[in-house]
Amino acid sequence: MAKDDVFEIQWEGLDEFVEILDKMEKETEKIIMEEMTAFGMEVEEGAKALAPHDHGDGLSDSINFDKAKKEGNSIVVRGGSNKPYALRRHEEPYRPGVHDKYENGRHYPGYYVDGRGQGTRGKESWRGIQPGRKYLENAIKALEPDYDEMNARALE
């Protein structure tokens, strides 16, 4: 083969193609951030609905989720409660049986039944789940189909 016999392939418009891919990546990231933020708000709604309720609005009102944020290669949504007893209410096992409540010198006979007080038992279920312990975990479990749908939308 002589020196003049050169086979050459040129890709014209490669710079433009790279720009399009960059734009697609940024748009995809924006869509995922919006979807994850919306999902976090649904988890917040569920956790508030499923949180135990004794008196006042304390625990339910303290549950909040932030907007999605990019951290390295991950997109993260953080949430929960800042109340010191929130973790205890989430993790502590139910106490079986019927128990009285004593508060501010008052006696409430039979207030707790199998670890759930009157206020918690009086709350409506959320997506078929009764309020009580494991309220964050249960909210996420109830939203698994929504999570799958969110991922499908993001991929589209």
Side-chain angles (χ1 to χ4, degrees), residues 125-156:
S125 66
W126 186 79
R127 293 192 176 205
I129 299 175
Q130 294 298 313
R133 308 288 163 85
K134 302 289 188 184
Y135 50 93
L136 285 165
E137 189 175 316
N138 286 333
I140 290 169
K141 282 180 185 176
L143 289 167
E144 281 181 22
D146 298 65
Y147 183 77
D148 295 340
E149 288 175 21
M150 173 194 69
N151 285 326
R153 280 193 308 271
L155 285 173
E156 285 177 19

Side-chain angles (χ1 to χ4, degrees), residues 19-86:
E19 283 179 31
I20 289 169
L21 289 177
D22 284 343
K23 186 177 178 183
M24 283 175 52
E25 183 180 342
K26 288 175 186 168
E27 187 63 27
T28 301
E29 185 177 294
K30 179 184 170 205
I31 290 167
I32 293 170
M33 295 279 279
E34 290 169 358
E35 290 284 348
M36 289 293 288
T37 296
F39 183 74
M41 295 301 105
E42 286 186 77
V43 174
E44 178 181 315
E45 175 190 325
K48 286 181 177 196
L50 294 174
H53 178 79
D54 196 6
H55 63 275
D57 296 319
L59 182 55
S60 292
D61 282 349
S62 73
I63 297 170
N64 291 293
F65 280 71
D66 296 331
K67 290 183 177 182
K69 295 177 185 164
K70 185 162 185 187
E71 294 183 4
N73 291 329
S74 300
I75 296 176
V76 178
V77 176
R78 285 198 170 80
S81 171
N82 60 356
K83 294 286 185 184
Y85 58 87

